[in-house]
């Protein structure tokens, strides 16, 4: 939601500039796909997965390893919030944990811990979760319970937050593949843009990624050094803030001069993996970082390394937009040191005094009085919020606040003011559409004041004033709360006019109000697409298309398919036939494979009994359906051929038994002269020369005779069955 606040708000400002004021906007977004946080997160995630793969059985050693990690964690993390008297020392972890677990129930004591370390709750919860999992695992081992992969993985998964840092401290030097960081960044970039589209945030015109601009970064840094504003230390390059500040009209920390020298902010801006030693001033920041083992790297004149965080924006923006830009946006937390550092290094590179004309810093989103923070686990995901409210409602909530102001997010905001605005507008549009539908022949085009008198003239004048006030509000630093108030006010006046006029209502002025209001709402991104001819409302809403005047045309084919399915189920249920269950399943398959395919709806049956719904190009679905049918026909043909082959094979075997065993050793079934005499069953006694058969020969022919006797009996039975 914190991200949504920033990016939806920036999208609103972009739409105002392009769709309302008519500016040509080139919107560039940079993707940070390599930095300290990404490196650490990717490396730790890789090590945890590797640890998981190597421990597929619950063993005492596994529990001991995780217990060691737990002891390490509480000394390193939980300790940060504890008073000196309760600090955990090595060798005393168990006793100390028992004491802390009791004290944490005291809210005053806990608040003091949070004051010392804002992540104390998160650290304590992770440690408690892990020790509980360890105790459970040891109990399983002692009782001789299952040690299967599921049990081992449950222990590891419950402890991942604790073991990640432990493994990283031991094995980080072994993780050298840069694709590990790249794949993590790529995954979350894709997830980010999926969420942005769900929120109806327009795609950037240009996307830049740091890893694709490393040669440009190196060249940029070289020029800053050449201009006298940077220096090299042990393979890293630092920006010289003292050399820059005050020289040739430059000064450092333009945006937040009061934050200059703020050690906490500067350290956070430099990242957890920064080297830091050798800097001439604590304000100096890294342009290029020498890579240590376990970190991705690129070649440079100063050795293997990677870009600093701040430099990427300057380089990519300069590569795309040139030596300056009109507007630079971002959250207010980026003003110092990030944006101030960008300004300094860019002005040092371009030898200019104004690299950016305007900064638009959006305010934070707070919940229960606290800034949303992923590290504090004090956040609402976009998935969660869109499960409760629509993208339109969320955007409305942001429009009710100044783009630069802090927002206190609450249910009362969403269920109160936001839903009231939406309901008021929906009701107004519904009333106007109903009036137009009832008296369509009375609607006339109107371009001036002529023909109006009394209340009509007053409403027309109010509309023109509203349009002027709306423009004035947006000219005043994009004051969307005032602009929304203007819309609500003119809608209220139109409602008063409609209610007071009865059947004498003049639809020309009313529809002018409705269409202008709808156009402005669409401009804010509250509805999709341009207004269709004669359309009244705020257009399509992907999350709630039922509210659109055009929604009926879209929904009817789907509703017909659903209605037809319902009719079929009712008919079967009323008939109460013996095959009702089978017939209903057949109807379900027909809905999936026949009725919904031309509508572009794919239903994938899942193991839990629920279908996964996908919207797919109908042509693709029909092509897939025909391929599936062709495969089914081919499979059936292959099965039939297999059955026929088996049948023939079986028949051949049966036909071999047609020969009676008494005749099998006599001509013409054996060569003439093969045998000289036979017993009454047809078994040979002598060979062609009259000599008695040897014992082995007797044994062999007897075995063959017995086998043929059995086959012959089977043949006779088969013959009887086929005659019958």
């Amino acid at each position: 939601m914190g991200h949504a606040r920033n990016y939806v708000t920036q999208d609103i400002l972009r739409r105002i500039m392009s769709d309302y004021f008519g500016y040509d906007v080139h919107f560039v977004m940079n993707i940070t796909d390599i930095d300290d946080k990404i490196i650490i997160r990717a490396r730790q995630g890789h090590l945890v997965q590797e640890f998981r793969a190597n421990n597929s059985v619950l063993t005492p050693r596994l529990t001991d390893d995780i217990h060691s990690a737990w002891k390490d964690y509480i000394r390193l993390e939980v300790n940060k919030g504890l008073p000196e008297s309760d600090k955990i020392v090595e060798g005393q972890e168990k006793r100390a944990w028992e004491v802390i677990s009791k004290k944490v129930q005291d809210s005053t004591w806990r608040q003091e811990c949070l004051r010392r370390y804002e992540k104390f709750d998160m650290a304590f919860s992770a440690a408690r979760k892990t020790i509980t999992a360890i105790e459970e695992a040891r109990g399983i081992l002692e009782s001789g319970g299952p040690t299967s992969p599921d049990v081992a993985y449950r222990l590891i998964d419950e402890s991942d937050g604790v073991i990640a840092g432990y493994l990283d401290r031991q094995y980080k030097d072994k993780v050298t593949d840069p694709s590990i960081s790249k794949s993590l960044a790529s995954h979350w970039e894709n997830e980010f843009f999926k969420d942005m589209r769900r929120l109806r945030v327009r795609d950037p015109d240009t996307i830049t990624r740091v890893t694709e601009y490393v040669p440009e970064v190196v060249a940029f840094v070289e020029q800053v050094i050449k201009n006298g504003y940077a220096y090299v230390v042990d393979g890293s390059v630092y920006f010289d803030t003292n050399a820059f500040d005050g020289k040739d009209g430059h000064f450092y920390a333009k945006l937040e001069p009061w934050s200059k020298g703020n050690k906490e902010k500067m350290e956070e801006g430099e990242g957890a993996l920064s080297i830091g030693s050798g800097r001439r001033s604590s304000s100096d920041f890294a342009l290029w970082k020498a890579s240590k083992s376990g970190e991705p790297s690129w070649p440079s004149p100063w050795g293997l390394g990677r870009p600093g965080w701040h430099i990427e924006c300057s380089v990519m923006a300069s590569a795309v937009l040139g030596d300056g830009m009109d507007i630079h946006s971002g959250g207010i937390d980026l003003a110092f040191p990030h944006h101030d550092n960008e300004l300094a290094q860019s002005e040092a590179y371009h030898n200019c005094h104004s690299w950016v004309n305007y900064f638009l810093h959006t305010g934070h989103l707070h919940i229960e009085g606290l800034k949303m923070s992923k590290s504090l686990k004090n956040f609402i995901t976009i998935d969660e919020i869109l499960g409760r409210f629509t993208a339109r409602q969320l955007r409305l909530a942001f429009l009710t606040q100044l783009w630069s102001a802090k927002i206190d997010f609450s249910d009362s905001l969403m269920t109160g003011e936001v839903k009231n605005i939406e309901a008021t507008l929906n009701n107004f549009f519904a009333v106007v559409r109903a009036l137009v539908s009832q008296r369509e022949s009375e609607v006339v085009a109107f371009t001036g004041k002529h023909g109006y008198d009394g209340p009509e003239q007053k409403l027309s004048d109010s509309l023109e004033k509203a349009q002027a006030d709306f423009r004035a509000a947006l000219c005043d630093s994009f004051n969307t709360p005032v602009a929304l108030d203007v819309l609500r006010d003119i809608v209220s006046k139109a409602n008063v006019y409609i209610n007071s006029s009865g059947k004498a209502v003049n639809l020309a002025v009313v529809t002018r109000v409705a269409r202008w209001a709808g156009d402005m709402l669409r401009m804010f991104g509250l509805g999709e697409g341009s207004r269709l001819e004669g359309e009244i409302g705020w257009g399509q809403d992907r999350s709630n298309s039922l509210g659109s005047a055009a929604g009926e045309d879209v929904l009817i084919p789907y509703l017909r398919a659903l209605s037809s399915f319902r009719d079929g189920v009712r008919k079967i249920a009323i008939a109460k036939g013996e095959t009702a269950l089978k017939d209903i399943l057949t109807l379900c398959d027909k809905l999936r494979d026949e009725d919904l395919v031309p509508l572009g709806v794919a239903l994938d049956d899942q193991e839990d009994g629920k279908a996964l719904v996908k919207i797919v190009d109908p042509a693709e679905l029909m092509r897939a359906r025909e391929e599936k049918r062709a495969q089914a026909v081919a499979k059936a043909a292959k099965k039939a051929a297999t059955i026929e082959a088996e049948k023939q094979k079986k028949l051949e075997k049966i036909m071999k038994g047609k020969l009676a065993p008494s005749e099998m050793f006599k001509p013409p079934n054996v060569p003439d002269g093969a045998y000289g005499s036979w017993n009454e069953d047809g078994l040979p006694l002598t060979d062609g020369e009259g000599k008695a058969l040897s014992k082995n020969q007797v044994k062999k022919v007897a075995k063959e005779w017995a086998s043929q006797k059995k086959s012959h009996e089977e043949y006779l039975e088969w013959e009887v069955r086929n005659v019958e």
Side-chain angles (χ1 to χ4, degrees):
M1 270 283 288
H3 290 153
R5 200 287 184 197
N6 179 57
Y7 292 105
V8 171
T9 299
Q10 298 294 348
D11 183 68
I12 290 169
L13 301 185
R14 177 187 181 186
R15 288 171 184 262
I16 292 171
M17 284 185 277
S18 60
D19 297 2
Y20 186 79
F21 288 115
Y23 283 102
D24 294 325
V25 176
H26 182 186
F27 192 89
V28 183
M29 178 182 286
N30 74 290
I31 303 293
T32 299
D33 59 355
I34 187 68
D35 75 348
D36 291 16
K37 290 181 180 179
I38 293 172
I39 293 169
I40 294 171
R41 179 69 62 85
R43 192 171 65 202
Q44 290 183 354
H46 172 76
L47 289 170
V48 170
Q49 286 304 312
E50 199 174 59
F51 182 77
R52 197 175 189 270
N54 293 332
N55 289 279
S56 58
V57 177
L58 183 65
T59 63
R61 180 175 178 178
L62 174 60
T63 58
D64 289 346
D65 285 346
I66 294 179
H67 192 230
S68 296
W70 176 81
K71 290 190 287 186
D72 224 30
Y73 184 84
I74 61 174
R75 291 197 309 271
L76 290 172
E77 291 297 319
V78 177
N79 254 352
K80 293 178 182 178
L82 299 178
E84 287 300 323
S85 58
D86 291 321
K87 292 288 186 185
I88 304 167
V89 297
E90 190 170 359
Q92 300 295 320
E93 292 89 357
K94 182 179 179 181
R95 186 187 63 80
W97 179 254
E98 292 172 352
V99 172
I100 294 163
S101 296
K102 292 177 181 177
K103 288 190 174 184
V104 80
Q105 298 173 31
D106 182 337
S107 59
T108 303
W109 185 87
R110 178 173 153 271
Q111 286 301 319
E112 284 297 309
C113 292
L114 281 168
R115 184 183 57 78
R116 297 184 195 94
Y117 181 44
E118 63 177 7
K119 299 179 185 179
F120 176 77
D121 271 353
M122 184 181 73
F124 180 81
S125 295
R128 180 171 55 191
K129 185 179 175 183
T130 300
I131 196 64
T132 301
I134 292 170
E135 290 169 353
E136 179 186 340
R138 284 178 170 168
I140 290 171
L141 289 170
E142 289 171 5
S143 63
T147 60
S148 62
D150 286 347
V151 180
Y153 293 156
R154 185 167 67 246
L155 170 61
I156 295 169
D157 293 343
E158 290 289 292
S159 311
D160 60 353
V162 165
I163 63 177
Y166 181 74
L167 294 171
D168 194 49
R169 286 186 288 277
Q170 293 184 76
Y171 306 113
K172 63 182 180 182
D173 292 351
K174 296 181 180 180
V175 184
T176 57
D177 185 355
S179 67
I180 293 172
S181 296
K182 179 69 175 176
S183 62
L184 177 71
S186 178
H187 168 78
W188 289 112
E189 177 186 332
N190 291 333
E191 293 300 309
F192 167 77
F193 280 116
K194 284 180 187 176
D195 279 342
M196 291 302 104
R197 286 163 192 144
R198 292 169 67 196
L199 294 169
R200 297 212 299 270
V201 173
R202 288 176 177 170
D203 286 348
D205 298 312
T206 301
I207 298 174
T208 59
R209 298 174 184 85
V210 188
T211 55
E212 298 168 1
Y213 280 80
V214 176
E216 289 84 351
V217 170
V218 171
F220 195 101
V221 174
E222 284 183 305
Q223 186 62 48
V224 175
I225 294 173
K226 184 178 178 181
N227 291 349
Y229 296 114
Y231 56 92
V232 182
V233 178
D234 297 330
S236 293
V237 182
Y238 293 96
F239 186 82
D240 193 334
T241 53
N242 288 331
F244 177 81
D245 201 12
K247 183 179 179 182
D248 295 334
H250 297 302
F251 62 91
Y252 178 64
K254 283 184 177 180
L255 300 176
E256 286 191 8
W258 56 88
S259 294
K260 187 176 179 180
N262 186 318
K263 186 178 179 182
E264 184 178 347
K265 282 191 173 185
M266 288 187 293
E267 286 181 355
E268 184 178 355
E270 286 304 276
L273 301 178
S274 294
I275 298 171
S277 60
R279 288 186 298 170
R280 296 174 183 174
S281 167
S282 60
S283 296
D284 294 353
F285 54 90
L287 302 177
W288 181 263
K289 298 181 179 182
S291 291
K292 294 173 286 186
S293 57
E295 299 176 11
S297 62
W298 287 264
S300 80
W302 319 288
L304 292 176
R306 54 192 173 85
W309 175 39
H310 316 294
I311 196 69
E312 64 184 58
C313 304
S314 296
V315 172
M316 292 188 287
S318 296
V320 177
L321 299 173
D323 59 3
M325 70 179 91
D326 289 312
I327 298 170
H328 193 324
S329 66
I332 186 61
D333 55 316
L334 296 179
F336 183 89
H338 186 48
H339 288 163
D340 265 322
N341 288 354
E342 279 186 52
L343 279 175
Q345 65 200 10
S346 299
E347 292 174 7
Y349 174 84
H350 292 292
N351 282 318
C352 66
H353 295 95
S354 182
W355 184 58
V356 175
N357 293 334
Y358 301 96
F359 272 94
L360 299 183
H361 289 124
T362 54
H364 286 144
L365 190 143
H366 287 59
I367 182 168
E368 297 179 0
L370 294 174
K371 174 190 167 186
M372 279 198 181
S373 167
K374 196 167 186 178
S375 62
L376 297 179
K377 299 202 179 293
N378 169 40
F379 63 94
I380 302 172
T381 67
I382 290 171
D383 253 346
E384 289 168 342
I385 203 66
L386 290 181
R388 299 172 56 203
F389 305 104
T390 66
R392 171 183 290 167
Q393 290 165 344
L394 191 60
R395 187 171 287 246
L396 264 176
F398 297 152
L399 282 162
T400 63
Q401 311 291 322
L402 281 172
W403 60 271
S404 56
K406 178 188 79 172
I407 288 184
D408 284 312
F409 181 81
S410 63
D411 278 354
S412 61
L413 170 64
M414 299 300 293
T415 59
E417 183 178 8
V418 168
K419 287 206 170 180
N420 285 339
I421 295 172
E422 189 178 39
T424 298
L425 293 165
N426 276 334
N427 291 338
F428 172 63
F429 292 139
V431 168
V432 176
R433 282 197 296 268
L435 288 171
V436 170
S437 178
Q438 292 167 10
R439 299 167 54 196
E440 189 172 1
S441 61
E442 299 178 24
V443 178
V444 295
F446 178 75
T447 57
K449 295 184 180 179
H450 300 292
Y452 289 169
D453 57 14
E456 292 86 358
Q457 185 64 61
K458 186 176 180 181
L459 181 58
S460 179
D461 291 343
S462 295
L463 174 59
E464 292 183 7
K465 183 178 185 303
Q467 290 169 331
D469 290 346
F470 187 87
R471 176 172 287 270
L474 297 187
C475 285
D476 183 17
S477 190
F478 310 111
N479 196 326
T480 58
V482 170
L484 273 184
D485 287 341
V486 170
L487 287 175
R488 282 194 283 183
D489 183 61
I490 189 61
V491 165
S492 176
K493 288 176 179 176
N495 280 330
V496 170
Y497 167 73
I498 291 169
N499 293 332
S500 62
S501 299
K503 292 184 179 180
V505 65
N506 188 311
L507 289 184
V509 67
V510 170
T511 53
R512 278 186 67 211
V513 171
R515 285 173 181 157
W516 176 74
D519 287 347
M520 296 306 98
L521 294 169
R522 269 188 295 276
M523 180 271 296
F524 282 143
L526 295 166
E528 288 299 304
S530 302
R531 176 166 58 84
L532 301 175
E533 183 66 30
E535 181 187 8
I536 292 170
W538 38 16
Q540 296 293 317
D541 179 356
R542 293 193 191 108
S543 59
N544 186 18
S545 59
L546 289 170
S548 167
E552 183 177 343
D553 293 336
V554 175
L555 288 174
I556 282 296
Y558 300 88
L559 295 178
R560 282 176 181 155
L562 182 61
S563 178
S564 176
F565 173 72
R566 177 180 178 272
D567 293 343
V569 172
R570 289 186 75 250
K571 185 177 179 181
I572 293 170
I574 292 169
K576 299 180 181 179
E578 293 181 359
T579 61
L581 292 177
K582 182 180 178 181
D583 293 341
I584 289 174
L585 288 174
T586 300
L587 275 181
C588 291
D589 289 344
K590 180 178 178 294
L591 179 69
R592 179 194 63 199
D593 300 332
E594 301 291 340
D595 302 334
L596 293 180
V597 165
L599 301 176
V601 178
L603 299 180
D604 288 347
D605 294 328
Q606 306 294 297
E607 291 182 358
D608 60 3
K610 298 177 182 178
L612 182 65
V613 182
K614 298 177 182 177
I615 304 299
V616 185
D617 179 22
E620 183 179 334
L621 280 181
M622 287 187 278
R623 184 166 56 252
R625 182 180 65 185
E626 293 310 312
E627 289 176 358
K628 185 177 179 181
R629 285 176 175 172
Q631 289 172 358
V633 169
K635 185 177 180 181
K638 184 178 179 181
K639 183 177 180 181
T642 301
I643 292 172
E644 181 62 26
E646 288 293 324
K647 183 179 177 182
Q648 289 299 320
K649 185 177 179 181
K650 187 174 181 181
L651 183 61
E652 288 174 8
K653 181 180 178 183
I654 289 172
M655 294 309 293
K656 285 180 180 178
K658 185 176 181 180
L659 178 66
S662 59
E663 299 298 316
M664 66 181 294
F665 295 111
K666 297 177 182 179
N669 301 307
V670 294
D672 286 338
Y675 300 103
S677 61
W678 299 264
N679 68 12
E680 58 185 4
D681 292 325
L683 281 164
L685 299 173
T686 60
D687 61 19
E689 297 176 359
K691 294 180 181 178
L693 298 179
S694 67
K695 288 183 179 181
N696 284 339
Q697 288 175 317
V698 170
K699 188 176 180 181
K700 180 181 178 183
V701 296
K703 184 177 180 181
E704 292 175 0
W705 185 92
S707 176
Q708 185 64 23
K709 181 176 182 294
K710 183 179 178 182
S711 295
H712 186 63
E713 289 170 351
E714 290 174 354
Y715 167 78
L716 294 175
E717 289 176 5
W718 174 83
E719 190 175 45
V720 170
R721 286 198 305 270
N722 279 273
V723 170
E724 291 174 353

